[in-house]
Amino acid sequence: MEVTYYQFCKTIAEDFRIELNQKHKTKFNQFPIKNGKRKINSFHDATIVDKQGNEYPYMISQTVRNEEKLIEFDYIYITRSKNLNQIIEETGVVLTSKSCKICEGGGWYSQGTKHFYKEISCEV
């Protein structure tokens, strides 16, 4: 059965009982300033950490950023899923793989790889 990349990674992580998500830390000074404000391209589940180590949500609601805490913070944590290579390295799982053509739409194709694990597969 063909599944999405995320579902494929999630299935392997669950089978091997490893955490699928990991935190990425980005320092305050790595965010550019645009129009007098720090430009932060982040996800809803990001966490702002101030210089005292206190944690605050980046988003107060789905559309409202925590502007007060964005004035002076030390770094921000963003939670993202591990990629397939990280999962393979951590679990030692051996996947069966083969080359394939992936349809990009409009008659365009790219060369990809189809991975197989148990009864599921995923094109990358």
Side-chain angles (χ1 to χ4, degrees):
M1 173 177 58
E2 185 81 23
V3 296
T4 65
Y5 179 79
Y6 176 79
Q7 291 169 322
F8 192 79
C9 292
K10 184 176 183 226
T11 300
I12 297 170
E14 287 174 351
D15 284 357
F16 284 85
R17 295 189 175 110
I18 65 165
E19 183 62 42
L20 178 61
N21 295 323
Q22 63 183 353
K23 286 184 176 180
H24 294 271
K25 180 178 176 180
T26 306
K27 293 294 282 177
F28 172 75
N29 59 7
Q30 292 176 305
F31 293 106
I33 297 174
K34 289 187 179 179
N35 300 327
K37 291 185 178 181
R38 292 257 175 218
K39 177 73 172 145
I40 299 175
N41 294 325
S42 188
F43 297 103
H44 184 71
D45 59 351
T47 303
I48 302 165
V49 182
D50 66 16
K51 294 185 187 326
Q52 288 76 39
N54 301 313
E55 295 186 358
Y56 306 93
Y58 169 64
M59 300 295 286
I60 294 173
S61 70
Q62 192 159 358
T63 58
V64 180
R65 289 176 179 76
N66 197 345
E67 296 289 345
E68 179 186 325
K69 298 299 177 187
L70 285 176
I71 294 169
E72 215 172 294
F73 66 95
D74 193 28
Y75 56 90
I76 191 167
Y77 276 124
I78 301 167
T79 304
R80 292 189 182 138
S81 299
K82 294 175 186 172
N83 65 41
L84 185 56
N85 288 336
Q86 290 171 307
I87 292 170
I88 290 170
E89 187 176 305
E90 193 171 330
T91 62
V93 66
V94 177
L95 302 177
T96 305
S97 303
K98 69 176 187 177
S99 292
C100 66
K101 281 170 92 173
I102 298 175
C103 178
E104 303 289 345
W108 291 92
Y109 290 88
S110 63
Q111 197 62 28
T113 303
K114 188 168 190 168
H115 298 287
F116 299 89
Y117 174 73
K118 293 186 176 181
E119 69 282 342
I120 61 173
S121 63
C122 170
E123 292 179 349
V124 181

